[in-house]
């Protein structure tokens, strides 16, 4: 889902961003996130089809670039989607990175993941709520347009370590670059269809007007016109 913030949050986001200055120990983390998530110019304007992967979200397909993705360990309370204070501190670097001029033009998928503990359906629901919590925190605390973030939950369907399905590393939030358009949009355009040939029609000559008077021809071929 796309996170939508009320209009009053626009000013609040700017105020909160000013209240969350970059800490000295965050600068390196912020730069690493920017380097991982910033597309190269070719991918930004004309991404190669093999670099993209389609993801189904609510009946529609979004296209992600897995090469530009990061995994974050975001701490939640047990069976909760409320962010802990530690989670908020850890997400601050991501917020500063997404608000930077390098990443500001781009959109990102915020994906929640769980391990295999618990019911499948519940894990799917919980992972989506957690992804939404992360996206909402970013929008409410940094100058980030909510239309840039798409939150989705994958539950336990995309484990980081399938060989150890209950490992903590599987409980994560993944941030991945979204393409601005479907890869098919870059396919060569079909050649224009030639217009059908125009049927040539010969102009019809107007009928000859009869000459006035009476025309008579004698046996020698002489013509006499009587008016």
């Amino acid at each position: 889902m796309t996170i939508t913030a009320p209009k009053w949050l626009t000013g609040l986001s700017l105020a909160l961003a000013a209240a969350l200055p970059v800490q000295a120990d965050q600068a390196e983390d912020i730069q690493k996130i920017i380097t991982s998530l910033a597309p190269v110019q070719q991918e930004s304007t004309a991404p190669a089809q093999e670099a993209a992967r389609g993801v189904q979200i609510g009946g529609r397909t979004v296209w992600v670039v897995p090469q530009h993705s990061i995994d974050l360990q975001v701490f939640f309370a047990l069976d909760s989607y409320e962010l802990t204070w530690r989670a908020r501190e850890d997400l601050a670097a991501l917020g500063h990175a997404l608000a930077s001029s390098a990443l500001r033009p781009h959109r990102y998928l915020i994906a929640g993941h769980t391990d295999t503990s618990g019911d499948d359906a519940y894990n799917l629901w919980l992972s989506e709520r957690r992804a939404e919590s992360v996206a909402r925190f970013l929008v409410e605390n940094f100058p980030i347009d909510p239309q840039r973030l798409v939150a989705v939950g994958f539950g336990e369907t995309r484990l980081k370590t399938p060989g150890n399905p209950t490992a903590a590393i599987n409980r994560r939030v993944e941030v991945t670059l979204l393409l601005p358009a479907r890869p098919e949009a870059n396919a060569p355009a079909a050649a224009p269809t030639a217009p059908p040939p125009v049927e040539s029609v010969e102009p019809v000559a107007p009928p000859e007007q009869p000459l006035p008077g009476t025309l008579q021809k004698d046996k020698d071929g002489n013509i006499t016109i009587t008016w």
Side-chain angles (χ1 to χ4, degrees), residues 101-121:
S101 58
L103 301 187
R104 193 177 302 132
H106 309 293
R107 300 174 66 234
Y108 291 89
L109 184 73
I110 309 294
H113 302 270
T114 69
D115 60 18
T116 57
S117 302
D119 179 72
D120 294 0

Side-chain angles (χ1 to χ4, degrees), residues 14-168:
L14 294 174
L16 288 174
L20 294 173
V22 178
Q23 302 298 322
D25 58 348
Q26 288 182 327
E28 184 177 352
D29 292 336
I30 293 171
Q31 187 56 50
K32 287 181 179 179
I33 294 174
I34 292 174
T35 302
S36 298
L37 295 181
V40 296
Q41 186 64 21
Q42 181 181 2
E43 291 168 339
S44 177
T45 58
Q49 182 164 346
E50 61 271 13
R53 174 167 54 85
V55 176
Q56 289 290 330
I57 300 178
R60 65 190 179 101
T61 301
V62 297
W63 295 90
V64 299
V65 184
Q67 292 86 343
H68 296 287
S69 180
I70 59 172
D71 284 327
L72 302 175
Q73 289 295 115
V74 181
F75 292 88
F76 295 89
L78 181 63
D79 287 339
S80 172
Y81 51 87
E82 295 295 331
L83 291 171
T84 63
W85 282 109
R86 180 176 177 181
R88 293 170 181 268
E89 292 176 355
D90 292 341
L91 287 172
L94 175 63
H96 286 298
L98 292 177
S100 68
S101 58
L103 301 187
R104 193 177 302 132
H106 309 293
R107 300 174 66 234
Y108 291 89
L109 184 73
I110 309 294
H113 302 270
T114 69
D115 60 18
T116 57
S117 302
D119 179 72
D120 294 0
Y122 176 76
N123 284 340
L124 183 62
W125 175 87
L126 183 61
S127 66
E128 183 170 343
R129 300 289 83 75
R130 288 178 171 178
E132 292 172 358
S133 292
V134 170
R136 188 173 296 107
F137 169 81
L138 295 171
V139 169
E140 292 178 354
N141 291 276
F142 297 89
I144 297 174
D145 185 347
Q147 298 301 318
R148 291 177 55 206
L149 305 179
V150 177
V152 63
F154 291 119
E156 58 187 67
T157 62
R158 302 190 179 193
L159 297 173
K160 187 74 172 180
T161 57
N164 190 4
T166 59

Side-chain angles (χ1 to χ4, degrees), residues 3-4 92 146 189 204:
I3 300 297
T4 302
V204 179

